[in-house]
């Protein structure tokens, strides 16, 4: 194929491409911003070139100069950044450098959502009703919406990854959503052209991976189910789909291939569809690049999609024909994000502890972690909050889910907020497990307030309390010379850190001569290690607990999706604990603070304004997504501390309210 390949990207996808290139004996060149100087992908590459500040990955001149300086014959764009920029492709070709991806004309045709709909119709692909042209203003948007009827989807013509998209169910939501989507699209893509189409309520999001070459060959691969989304960005994906039978898959595949051939497509790409309950499907968009979720397709097809892209770019015909495409087992991907799982707000900071999961040797080939970070990495506001793509494979869907649950239980992240609790809850959710009623509204319906902890059942509580007591006993015994004998009755108190739900259990355990065993359970735990594995002797129940840190009378743990403070007390300590003063009731906050670092996009209030609960106050942009901050109380605006364009930090006060006393004095 090529002797030297430059990867015009960063993070996990850069690591992913480097691995395939190394296997094919292709030397690699990494480009990096000043923020990524210590990133793992920079060390993995054979050569590395610093291209400037945080947004340098969008600079065509910087990437081109790096390719020329290092003698790279080809450039792989990964996804995002310049991956769907036809001007970038043309500039590379002008300088004799091969772009590992589709031709510039195909990207231009399909990357523009307005034009792509026209092409889809022309090539015989089912399309969603809507307005086929550009919608210029909010007033124009209202006219379109009234014509096709609510609900409608507002979409950035140049958009992708959920950015520049909003759903509107009425005029107010349309006007607000149009403004935000337009701003978000300009910020993310430098293009604020918008389109509006009918929103298909309660659909599934199903996509078809295609592969093409320069000889006119195009094949379609098994479907991917991508319906578990938040903010129109995928969270959990799987392949194949429970909903799509073989007949429907082949219909969708044939339409995807027809579309690809219409534009002369010659690389890896994805045609996305919305599918209703009756398996009617409608063209959504085409992504002219490698998808984030490509690993699940690689598992079920046993193909390396990056390798296929490299061979096609080098002029080789496809190595697979349509009748050779088979689906082997089932694969599931969980996108691990640095974000609060309750409000889905991005989180930044340093990864103080970071340990990816691993499965026993028999299952080791059935788990894959595509990440570009390591312990000590800084998660910054300038880039997408994706930390890792955790993928599991199984002979059946149930087996893939089972492995995913185990992997999520073993995944340890300390230092930034993360969505592991949500992911674990989703893959354990009965509706997800059944697979029959999954739609793009799944998260909104099942988790309307984001992830919320669930109460421990009696079957969970007592075994967990036994493990906690054994952990405490092991810590205490380590400080003495006693190796066995009776460990007294212990009160185990657990407090759910999210809900403040409290539990109390009295347990008594006895230590055996075996250093890892008590009479009632066996515990495998090196003191203060991150993972505690235990087996209850009576029923051979296995438990996995994450040890987070120590407390005065216990420790903090994570069990399943939830974090707990654990106190272990004797009878006297328990009696004294009853006299502790309860926490005072929290008064409504007198301020609106920024939940994340970012940039102020707009301020919607003025000093003296009377506001109601839930009213928009400020819009903060972080990690290319715009977040509307609303009031949590009724009150009067006393002071505004920021203006449009200001950079803000987590916890920074943005807006102040009048004190209730002041308001009463002023007759408010």
């Amino acid at each position: 194929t090529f002797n030297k390949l430059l990867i015009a990207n960063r993070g996990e996808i850069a690591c992913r491409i480097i691995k395939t290139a190394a296997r094919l004996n292709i030397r690699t060149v990494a480009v990096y911003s000043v923020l990524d100087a210590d990133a793992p992908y920079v060390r993995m590459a054979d050569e590395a070139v610093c291209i400037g500040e945080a947004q340098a990955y969008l600079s065509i001149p910087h990437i081109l100069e790096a390719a020329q300086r290092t003698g790279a014959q080809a450039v792989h764009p990964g996804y995002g950044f310049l991956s769907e920029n036809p001007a970038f492709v043309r500039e590379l070709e002008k300088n004799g450098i091969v772009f590992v991806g589709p031709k510039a004309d195909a990207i231009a045709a399909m990357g523009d959502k307005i034009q792509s709909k026209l092409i889809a119709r022309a090539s015989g692909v089912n399309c969603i009703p809507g307005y086929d042209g550009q919608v210029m203003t909010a007033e124009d948007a209202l006219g379109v919406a009234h014509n096709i009827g609510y609900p409608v989807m507002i979409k950035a013509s140049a958009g992708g990854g959920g950015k520049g998209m909003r759903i509107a169910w009425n005029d107010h939501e349309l006007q607000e959503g149009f403004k935000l989507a337009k701003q978000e699209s300009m910020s993310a893509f430098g293009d604020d052209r918008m389109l509006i189409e009918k929103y298909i309520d309660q659909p599934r999001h199903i996509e078809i991976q295609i592969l093409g070459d320069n000889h006119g060959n195009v094949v379609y691969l098994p479907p991917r189910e991508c319906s578990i989304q938040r903010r129109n960005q995928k969270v959990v994906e799987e392949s194949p789909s429970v909903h799509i039978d073989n007949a429907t898959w082949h219909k969708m595949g044939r339409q995807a291939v027809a579309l690809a051939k219409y534009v002369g497509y010659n690389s890896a790409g994805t045609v996305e569809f919305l599918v209703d309950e009756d398996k009617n499907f409608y063209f959504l968009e085409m992504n002219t690049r490698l998808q984030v979720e490509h690993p699940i397709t690689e598992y079920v097809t046993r193909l390396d999609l990056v390798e296929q892209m490299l061979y096609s770019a080098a002029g080789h015909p496809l190595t697979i024909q349509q009748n050779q495409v088979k689906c082997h087992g089932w694969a599931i991907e969980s996108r691990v994000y640095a974000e609060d799982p309750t409000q889905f707000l991005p989180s930044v900071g340093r990864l103080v502890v970071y340990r990816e999961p691993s499965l026993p040797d028999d299952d080791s080939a059935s788990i894959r972690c595509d990440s570009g970070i390591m312990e000590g990495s800084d998660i910054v506001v300038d880039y997408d909050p994706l930390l890792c793509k955790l993928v599991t494979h199984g002979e059946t869907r149930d087996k893939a889910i089972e492995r995913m649950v185990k992997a999520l239980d073993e995944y340890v992240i300390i230092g930034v907020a993360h969505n592991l609790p949500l992911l674990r809850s989703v893959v354990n959710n009965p509706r997800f497990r059944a697979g029959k009623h999954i739609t793009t509204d799944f998260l909104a319906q099942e988790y309307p307030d984001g992830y919320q902890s669930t109460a421990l059942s009696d079957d969970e509580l007592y075994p967990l309390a036994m493990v906690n007591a054994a952990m405490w006993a092991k810590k205490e015994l380590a400080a003495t010379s006693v190796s066995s004998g009776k460990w007294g009755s212990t009160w185990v108190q657990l407090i759910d850190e999210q809900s403040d739900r409290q539990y109390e259990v009295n347990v008594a355990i006895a230590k055996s001569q075996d250093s890892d065993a008590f009479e009632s359970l066996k515990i495998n735990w090196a003191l203060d290690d991150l993972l505690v594995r235990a087996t209850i002797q009576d029923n051979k129940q296995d438990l996995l607990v994450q040890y987070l840190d120590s407390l005065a009378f216990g420790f903090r743990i994570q069990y399943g999706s939830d974090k707990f403070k654990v106190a272990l007390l004797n009878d006297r300590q328990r009696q004294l604990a009853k006299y502790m003063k309860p926490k005072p009731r929290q008064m409504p906050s007198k301020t609106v603070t920024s939940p994340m670092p970012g940039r102020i996009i707009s301020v919607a209030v003025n000093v003296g304004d009377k506001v109601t609960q839930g009213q928009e106050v400020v819009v903060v942009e972080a990690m290319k997504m715009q977040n509307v901050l609303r009031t949590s109380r009724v009150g009067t605006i006393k002071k505004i501390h920021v203006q449009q364009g200001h950079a803000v930090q987590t916890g920074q006060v943005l807006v102040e309210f009048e004190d209730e006393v002041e308001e009463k004095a002023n007759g408010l």
Side-chain angles (χ1 to χ4, degrees):
T1 54
F2 307 102
N3 295 324
K4 187 179 286 188
L5 174 73
L6 183 143
I7 297 100
N9 217 297
R10 64 180 296 277
E12 66 86 11
I13 191 60
C15 294
R16 161 72 191 89
I17 295 165
I18 290 170
K19 288 174 184 175
T20 290
R23 183 172 57 78
L24 299 175
N25 295 315
I26 301 171
R27 289 182 60 80
T28 52
V29 179
V31 292
Y32 64 94
S33 73
V34 291
L35 295 178
D36 282 333
D38 297 321
Y41 79 94
V42 176
R43 301 177 189 181
M44 288 173 63
D46 297 297
E47 300 175 51
V49 179
C50 181
I51 54 173
E53 299 301 318
Q55 297 306 312
Y57 300 102
L58 290 168
S59 170
I60 294 175
H62 288 168
I63 302 291
L64 179 60
E65 195 274 333
Q68 291 173 324
R69 190 200 315 175
T70 57
Q73 298 168 296
V75 172
H76 196 304
Y79 55 77
F81 295 125
L82 295 172
S83 63
E84 295 181 282
N85 187 319
F88 179 49
V89 181
R90 293 189 181 105
E91 197 63 31
L92 290 175
E93 290 174 347
K94 190 192 304 181
N95 287 273
I97 299 170
V98 177
F99 178 75
V100 183
K103 296 170 185 173
D105 289 346
I107 294 176
M110 301 313 300
D112 185 311
K113 289 183 173 56
I114 294 171
Q115 187 177 352
S116 68
K117 281 188 68 176
L118 298 175
I119 293 171
R121 288 189 198 281
S123 58
V125 178
N126 304 342
C127 290
I128 301 170
Y131 180 67
D132 291 336
Q134 178 184 351
V135 180
M136 304 296 292
T137 66
E139 289 70 31
D140 293 339
L142 285 171
V144 173
H146 292 164
N147 184 44
I148 63 177
Y150 286 110
V152 297
M153 172 70 82
I154 308 159
K155 294 169 66 174
S157 180
K163 298 176 179 68
M165 296 176 68
R166 293 291 189 279
I167 299 165
W169 293 79
N170 54 51
D171 286 359
H172 173 72
E173 290 182 2
L174 178 65
Q175 290 173 308
E176 182 183 74
F178 188 86
K179 177 189 73 172
L180 290 172
K182 200 171 178 69
Q183 291 171 347
E184 198 169 273
S185 179
M186 176 58 73
S187 175
F189 312 110
D191 183 338
D192 65 354
R193 291 173 303 138
M194 307 303 296
L195 63 87
I196 290 182
E197 60 191 18
K198 183 73 175 176
Y199 174 64
I200 307 298
D201 192 21
Q202 307 256 356
R204 288 180 181 250
H205 185 144
I206 308 289
E207 58 189 32
I208 301 294
Q209 174 76 57
I210 59 165
L211 290 174
D213 61 22
N214 289 300
H215 303 273
N217 302 306
V218 183
V219 298
Y220 60 90
L221 304 181
R224 291 192 293 247
E225 170 90 56
C226 306
S227 301
I228 309 297
Q229 307 177 359
R230 54 99 179 99
R231 294 183 171 185
N232 300 304
Q233 198 163 36
K234 300 156 190 171
V235 177
V236 177
E237 301 107 333
E238 58 183 304
S239 183
S241 165
V242 172
H243 187 59
I244 303 300
D245 54 33
N246 278 338
T248 307
W249 167 39
H250 291 309
K251 287 179 188 175
M252 296 172 76
R254 285 192 289 269
Q255 288 198 12
V257 166
L259 178 60
K261 288 187 173 183
Y262 192 92
V263 295
Y265 205 83
N266 64 321
S267 188
T270 298
V271 181
E272 303 193 356
F273 296 92
L274 293 180
V275 184
D276 67 19
E277 189 175 355
D278 297 322
K279 298 185 177 66
N280 299 307
F281 57 90
Y282 306 94
F283 173 73
L284 181 62
E285 63 184 14
M286 182 176 186
N287 287 314
T288 55
R289 54 170 167 80
L290 189 66
Q291 289 282 84
V292 175
E293 59 273 17
H294 74 272
I296 54 177
T297 295
E298 293 185 323
Y299 256 134
V300 299
T301 60
R302 300 174 183 170
L303 293 171
D304 182 325
L305 298 190
V306 173
E307 179 181 1
Q308 296 292 323
M309 293 179 77
L310 288 166
Y311 278 123
S312 290
H316 298 288
L318 287 178
T319 60
I320 187 170
Q321 297 179 356
Q322 191 61 57
N323 61 6
Q324 296 173 308
V325 174
K326 299 288 187 292
C327 187
H328 306 276
W330 212 283
I332 297 177
E333 175 177 285
S334 292
R335 296 195 192 187
V336 182
Y337 287 108
E339 68 178 17
D340 162 40
T342 303
Q343 298 179 307
F344 305 134
L345 295 174
S347 175
V348 297
R350 178 160 294 175
L351 293 173
V352 179
V353 177
Y354 183 74
R355 183 184 292 182
E356 292 177 349
S358 60
L359 294 178
D361 290 343
D362 290 348
D363 291 335
S364 60
S366 300
I367 182 172
R368 172 172 165 178
C369 293
D370 279 17
S371 66
I373 52 176
M374 59 186 179
E375 197 162 282
S377 291
D378 289 317
I379 309 304
V380 297
V381 71
D382 304 82
Y383 302 122
D384 188 272
L386 181 67
L387 297 177
C388 175
K389 299 174 327 197
L390 175 62
V391 190
T392 55
H393 179 260
E395 302 77 22
T396 63
R397 186 172 186 266
D398 286 344
K399 191 64 178 177
I401 291 174
E402 178 189 322
R403 286 173 174 154
M404 179 60 73
V405 172
K406 288 180 179 177
L408 289 167
D409 281 346
E410 287 197 7
Y411 210 139
V412 184
I413 302 174
I414 300 175
V416 297
H418 54 79
N419 68 333
L420 290 175
L422 174 70
L423 294 172
R424 189 187 187 283
S425 180
V426 167
V427 296
N428 256 332
N429 185 294
R431 180 174 159 191
F432 178 82
R433 289 258 183 171
K436 293 181 180 178
H437 301 289
I438 297 173
T439 71
T440 55
D441 293 324
F442 178 91
L443 286 183
Q445 292 171 349
E446 295 291 316
Y447 305 91
D449 301 312
Y451 174 74
Q452 301 294 321
S453 61
T454 54
L456 291 171
S457 67
D458 290 341
D459 289 342
E460 293 174 305
L461 178 57
Y462 193 77
L464 179 59
M466 288 175 63
V467 173
N468 292 155
M471 290 167 62
W472 186 246
K474 193 165 182 177
K475 286 172 74 77
E476 293 290 295
L477 291 170
T480 70
S481 58
V482 178
S483 60
S484 63
K486 181 78 172 176
W487 182 257
S489 171
T490 302
W491 290 97
V492 181
Q493 297 178 342
L494 298 99
I495 300 176
D496 183 316
E497 291 189 351
Q498 185 186 48
S499 68
D500 283 334
R501 199 179 287 114
Q502 299 185 24
Y503 307 89
E504 184 178 67
V505 180
N506 184 255
V507 298
I509 56 175
K511 185 77 173 65
S512 69
Q513 292 291 344
D514 184 338
S515 61
D516 286 328
F518 293 79
E519 288 184 359
S520 49
L521 76 160
K522 184 169 183 175
I523 181 170
N524 180 7
W525 181 48
L527 285 181
D528 296 336
D529 193 13
L530 297 172
L531 296 177
V532 185
R533 302 175 193 277
T535 302
I536 307 300
Q537 302 286 35
D538 285 349
N539 57 8
K540 303 303 178 187
Q541 179 184 352
D542 293 326
L543 280 83
L544 180 67
V545 173
Q546 289 189 20
Y547 175 82
L548 302 179
D549 51 57
S550 62
L551 300 172
F553 289 95
F555 31 75
R556 293 178 61 245
I557 64 163
Q558 179 168 315
Y559 174 66
S561 297
D562 303 322
K563 293 183 174 68
F564 298 89
K565 290 186 179 76
V566 182
L568 298 109
L569 309 173
N570 59 34
D571 289 336
R572 177 63 175 159
Q573 290 167 332
R574 178 173 177 260
Q575 284 298 115
L576 293 174
K578 293 179 180 179
Y579 298 101
M580 297 288 287
K581 287 184 178 179
K583 288 182 181 178
R585 186 175 67 88
Q586 241 182 348
M587 300 299 290
S589 175
K590 295 192 295 182
T591 61
V592 175
T593 59
S594 180
M596 75 211 88
R599 181 170 61 91
I600 300 297
I601 297 299
S602 62
V603 179
V605 293
N606 296 299
V607 173
D609 283 358
K610 299 180 181 66
V611 295
T612 57
Q613 188 173 359
Q615 185 173 329
E616 177 185 331
V617 178
V618 175
V619 177
V620 179
E621 182 181 74
M623 295 179 174
K624 303 298 181 188
M625 296 294 283
Q626 295 195 357
N627 305 278
V628 179
L629 304 187
R630 304 180 185 276
T631 61
S632 60
R633 55 170 286 172
V634 174
T636 303
I637 303 298
K638 178 180 181 180
K639 191 171 183 180
I640 298 171
H641 293 266
V642 292
Q643 298 176 13
Q644 183 179 353
H646 279 186
V648 295
Q649 299 300 316
T650 302
Q652 183 173 333
V653 175
L654 309 179
V655 174
E656 254 183 88
F657 293 98
E658 297 275 8
D659 289 333
E660 290 184 6
V661 175
E662 291 180 59
E663 292 191 1
K664 287 176 182 174
N666 292 329
L668 299 173

